[in-house]
Amino acid sequence: MSVKIDELLKEALIPSEKPDAQLNQEILRKAVEVNNMKKPFFKTIPVVATIAAAVLATGSLTAYGAWKYLAIEQVVEEIGDKKLADAFKEKGAVNINECQEYGDYKITLMGTVSGDRLSSYLVEDDGAFITDRTYSVISIEKKDGSPMTDTSDDNYENNFLASPFIKGENPAFLNIYYMDGGCSSFVKDGVEYRVVDHENIEAFAGRGVYLGVLGSAFYDNNAYNFNNETGEITRNENYEGINALFELPLDKSKADEAKAEKLLAKWKKGDSGNKENQENTRDTEDKMDWANIKENCKLIKGSAKTYPASQYGKMLSYSLDVTGNSNPEENIWSIAIDEYFKKDEYGTKVAGAASNSEGTVYIVVKRSQNGKITISQYQ
Amino acid sequence: MNTTELEKCIETYGNDIYAFCVHLAYSQQEAEELYQDTFLKAMELLSGIEAENNPKSYLLSITIRLWKNRKRKYAWRNRIAGFSSLEEETQEAWDVNGNTLEEEVLKKEQIRQLRQAVKKLDYKYRMPVYLYYMEEIPIAGISKILKLPKGTVKSRLYKAREILKKQLAAE
C-alpha cells in the first residue's frame, strides 16, 4: 500500500499547471519598472548620533541604555511568555550581554536559561511535547543606528539564523534544525530581538557549547571552521557575511555525558518523531487523564462538536484556536477517533493539549454507547 | 538580477513554481499574484539566489514566505469559491493512458480523491507532501525550506501518507 500511495501521490501531484505567457510577460514588465524606479534619497541622521547628542546633553549613559534596549525579561514578556520571563529572573539564568560586530551589524548575546517546563508554550513535534529546553536571547541592530526592518513589515526578510553548536560535532550536521529548534522575534525601537529555543543542551556543558549567529536564513557551510581533530569550532575569518560565535556559559555541574550521548544519537538519527517521543507523548497524555481534567478543568462553552457514529475510522477536523495563531488552517486539528477507541470501546479520553500564556487547553474526545462522537475543549 | 537573468529564471523554474502556487493558493487570481510576487521578490534578493546551490528550493522558500504573509491578509472567503474552480481546471489536465476505460475512470476518481485529500491535510503535513511529491525536493532540501529537522520532515511525510491511506480506504 505504501508503494501504491507513493506512486499515486507522484501521479496525482505532477505539476500540470503552467503559467500563461502573458503572466510571465507581466512579471518582466514589472521588473523593468522596478529597475527604472529611482529610489528617493533621504539623508538620515544616524540614531547613534542622536543618542550621542542626548548623552552629551544629559551626561547620563544609563539613561541612554535604558531608553534604547529592553532588558532580557522584557524581551521575553514581549513575546507573551510571562512564565519564561520569570525563569530568566531565577538563579539558574545567565546574563551574558556579550557583543560582537560583523559587517553592518552588532549582535548581542543577552542571556540564556535551561530547564524543564520553563515556558508557557509547549513545543510539539509530531505529537511529542518537548518540554526540557534551552532558551537564549539575542539582539541584532545596525551599527549605523538605522532601524532594523520590523518583523510585521511586508519587506521583512528573515536573514539571520541563531543556532547552538556542540564542540566536537560538525555544525553543518548538528545545528538548531536537528534540535527541535524554534525562534520568536520582534523589532522594538529599531532593535531586533530573538528568543531562540531548542532541546536542553546543558548535558553538553562539559564539552563546550557555542551559539552562532549567521546572516542568512539557513546554515552556511562557509561561515565556520570545524577542526576534525580537536572538535574546535571557530569563525571563518575570511567569510564575508555575518558569522558571530559566542561561547554559551552553561552550568558545568549539569554536564551529563550519558544524556549527551543519548541526545546526539537521537539528533543524528534525525528521528525526533521516533517511538521514544511517541511514548513520552503517551505518558504526558496519560498524566492528563480524563478523571483529572473532569475534576480540575471546565468545559469551554461552545467548544463541543458532535459527529455521527458513521465518522468512526475517518479523520475528523476540529478547530482549536487557543495559541493566537492568525492562520486559521494551522488551527485545524485532524483527529482519528479509532486511535483512541477500539471498535467496541466507548468512554471519554484526552486527545491532546495546547498551551498559551493563559494556560493549557485540553482536547477531550467522547464516544457514546450509540456511537456518537463529541470533541470538546476543557481549560 | 537583471531582466534577462530573470527571464531565464522564469523559463527554467516558472512551471514548477506556478504549479506550487496553484496548489497553495485558494484561487487562480491569488495563485497568479503569488507566482508574480515570488519572481519579483527573487529579483530584489539578488545575492540570495546567486549564493544558493539550488535556486528552485530558494524560490520555493520565497513562495512559502510570501504565501504566509498573504494568508494573514486574505479572508476565509476566498477559500470555498477558489477550491471548486481550481479542482475543475486541474482535473481536465489528466491524460488517458493505455488502460481500459473502466480502469481509467476508477484511477481518475482515485487521483481526484487523493488530490482533494491532500488539499485538506493540515498545513504541517500538506507542505512536505507538495514539496516532496510535486516539486521533487529531497528531504534535506525540504528541511531547509521549512526550517525543520530532517527527522521531522520524514515523520510528517510518513504520517501524511498514513492519513491519506486511511482517507482513501474510507471513501
Side-chain angles (χ1 to χ4, degrees):
Chain A
M1 185 67 183
S2 106
V3 175
K4 196 184 170 196
I5 193 86
D6 245 25
E7 284 171 0
L8 271 176
L9 273 166
K10 276 179 197 161
E11 194 166 341
L13 299 177
I14 291 169
S16 53
E17 304 84 358
K18 289 181 182 169
D20 194 84
Q22 249 183 343
L23 180 63
N24 287 340
Q25 281 305 315
E26 180 66 12
I27 296 173
L28 292 170
R29 188 189 63 75
K30 282 190 180 170
V32 172
E33 256 177 37
V34 172
N35 278 342
N36 290 342
M37 265 167 63
K38 291 210 170 140
K39 288 183 184 165
F41 177 72
F42 293 102
K43 188 175 180 189
T44 53
I45 300 169
V47 176
V48 169
T50 318
I51 292 161
V55 169
L56 283 174
T58 60
S60 166
L61 275 168
T62 321
Y64 145 61
W67 168 75
K68 175 142 180 163
Y69 301 102
L70 295 181
I72 198 161
E73 55 275 13
Q74 289 175 307
V75 173
V76 183
E77 273 177 23
E78 195 79 20
I79 62 164
D81 199 339
K82 179 79 175 62
K83 197 173 166 188
L84 184 61
D86 289 341
F88 268 104
K89 291 179 201 158
E90 298 292 321
K91 208 177 159 191
V94 188
N95 273 303
I96 303 164
N97 283 324
E98 182 189 337
C99 294
Q100 294 185 10
E101 293 185 4
Y102 300 107
D104 297 334
Y105 297 92
K106 176 178 157 190
I107 296 142
T108 306
L109 171 59
M110 298 174 73
T112 186
V113 68
S114 300
D116 193 22
R117 294 180 186 273
L118 297 185
S119 167
S120 314
Y121 299 99
L122 285 178
V123 174
E124 179 265 344
D125 180 24
D126 200 35
F129 295 114
I130 308 202
T131 54
D132 194 10
R133 301 181 72 75
T134 296
Y135 301 85
S136 303
V137 178
I138 61 166
S139 69
I140 304 166
E141 62 195 294
K142 289 195 183 154
K143 282 198 311 201
D144 66 0
S146 59
M148 298 288 287
T149 309
D150 198 280
T151 47
S152 59
D153 193 300
D154 275 354
N155 295 319
Y156 175 76
E157 294 297 337
N158 182 16
N159 281 338
F160 293 94
L161 173 74
S163 169
F165 305 138
I166 312 282
K167 189 177 171 187
E169 300 296 328
N170 190 334
F173 307 117
L174 194 72
N175 51 53
I176 194 164
Y177 287 120
Y178 299 84
M179 302 175 183
D180 272 309
C183 171
S184 306
S185 60
F186 64 92
V187 172
K188 182 102 176 175
D189 294 330
V191 179
E192 182 169 336
Y193 295 92
R194 291 185 164 224
V195 180
V196 183
D197 67 293
H198 40 81
E199 284 198 77
N200 192 335
I201 50 174
E202 281 178 311
F204 297 95
R207 300 190 186 191
V209 178
Y210 310 86
L211 186 88
V213 181
L214 291 97
S216 62
F218 305 121
Y219 182 79
D220 186 338
N221 285 335
N222 301 314
Y224 300 96
N225 303 314
F226 175 68
N227 186 322
N228 269 318
E229 286 171 17
T230 63
E232 288 284 344
I233 297 165
T234 50
R235 292 182 54 251
N236 175 1
E237 300 288 344
N238 299 320
Y239 185 67
E240 287 185 359
I242 295 155
N243 57 349
L245 191 67
F246 301 92
E247 278 197 34
L248 267 185
L250 298 177
D251 182 353
K252 291 262 195 297
S253 70
K254 299 280 177 65
D256 181 341
E257 268 307 304
K259 191 177 171 189
E261 281 301 326
K262 209 173 158 188
L263 279 169
L264 277 180
K266 186 177 105 173
W267 292 335
K268 285 182 180 174
K269 197 177 165 194
D271 192 5
S272 49
N274 62 15
K275 277 186 183 167
E276 193 185 325
N277 277 333
Q278 282 162 14
E279 276 160 20
N280 286 343
T281 317
R282 194 51 71 189
D283 279 354
T284 315
E285 286 172 10
D286 284 347
K287 278 176 201 157
M288 341 181 272
D289 66 281
W290 167 232
N292 189 21
I293 286 167
K294 195 178 172 186
E295 198 179 316
N296 299 307
C297 302
K298 283 183 179 169
L299 172 73
I300 298 177
K301 278 187 182 173
S303 69
K305 193 175 173 190
T306 306
Y307 304 81
S310 59
Q311 292 299 301
Y312 180 83
K314 294 185 181 175
M315 295 298 295
L316 306 182
S317 290
Y318 184 76
S319 175
L320 176 78
D321 183 13
V322 294
T323 52
N325 192 338
S326 59
N327 176 6
E329 255 196 286
E330 288 173 23
N331 294 327
I332 303 287
W333 282 39
S334 293
I335 299 175
I337 298 299
D338 53 335
E339 280 185 13
Y340 299 95
F341 298 100
K342 290 175 191 161
K343 209 172 176 185
D344 301 320
E345 194 186 356
Y346 304 96
T348 307
K349 291 188 181 181
V350 184
S355 289
N356 60 19
S357 55
E358 284 165 20
T360 304
V361 173
Y362 299 96
I363 311 283
V364 172
V365 290
K366 181 182 173 187
R367 189 168 181 231
S368 309
Q369 289 288 343
N370 60 8
K372 203 168 75 176
I373 300 154
T374 308
I375 304 178
S376 45
Q377 297 168 35
Y378 282 75
Q379 190 165 30
Chain B
M1 195 190 308
N2 60 33
T3 44
T4 317
E5 287 162 334
L6 178 68
E7 197 172 357
K8 202 176 167 196
C9 194
I10 293 173
E11 199 183 305
T12 315
Y13 306 108
N15 289 356
D16 287 337
I17 302 300
Y18 183 76
F20 189 63
C21 293
V22 166
H23 283 260
L24 281 191
Y26 301 133
S27 70
Q28 190 73 31
Q29 188 195 344
E30 199 187 354
E32 288 183 2
E33 284 172 9
L34 186 58
Y35 171 73
Q36 209 173 85
D37 290 350
T38 298
F39 282 102
L40 290 173
K41 183 57 91 181
M43 194 185 73
E44 252 180 75
L45 305 171
L46 160 71
S47 55
I49 202 156
E50 281 181 343
E52 272 290 318
N53 293 330
N54 189 340
K56 182 173 154 183
S57 289
Y58 187 72
L59 288 166
L60 288 167
S61 68
I62 293 177
T63 311
I64 290 173
R65 204 162 57 224
L66 289 171
W67 179 67
K68 279 185 178 171
N69 281 342
R70 293 179 77 89
K71 279 205 308 175
R72 290 191 203 112
K73 296 172 197 165
Y74 274 70
W76 267 106
R77 64 186 159 77
N78 283 335
R79 186 170 186 180
I80 299 158
F83 255 141
S84 55
S85 58
L86 269 181
E87 284 298 327
E88 281 159 20
E89 277 174 41
T90 49
Q91 268 181 59
E92 285 169 14
W94 297 112
D95 293 325
V96 174
N97 299 318
N99 299 338
T100 65
L101 187 61
E102 193 184 353
E103 280 171 343
E104 205 53 54
V105 169
L106 277 174
K107 191 165 184 193
K108 213 170 162 183
E109 176 57 15
Q110 206 170 24
I111 279 173
R112 187 193 65 79
Q113 285 172 358
L114 188 57
R115 293 185 82 156
Q116 278 189 337
V118 173
K119 275 238 170 201
K120 286 177 188 166
L121 278 176
D122 271 8
Y123 166 83
K124 69 176 191 176
Y125 299 123
R126 194 171 73 239
M127 202 55 67
V129 166
Y130 281 145
L131 291 170
Y132 188 76
Y133 289 102
M134 188 164 77
E135 299 298 338
E136 297 180 327
I137 305 286
I139 304 278
I142 300 174
S143 155
K144 273 178 85 176
I145 292 172
L146 298 180
K147 295 174 193 159
L148 287 170
K150 280 192 270 188
T152 306
V153 174
K154 275 188 218 165
S155 59
R156 286 190 181 175
L157 277 172
Y158 173 79
K159 204 156 180 180
R161 282 193 291 263
E162 292 303 300
I163 295 170
L164 293 169
K165 272 195 273 184
K166 266 189 190 174
Q167 290 207 334
L168 278 191
E171 293 286 342

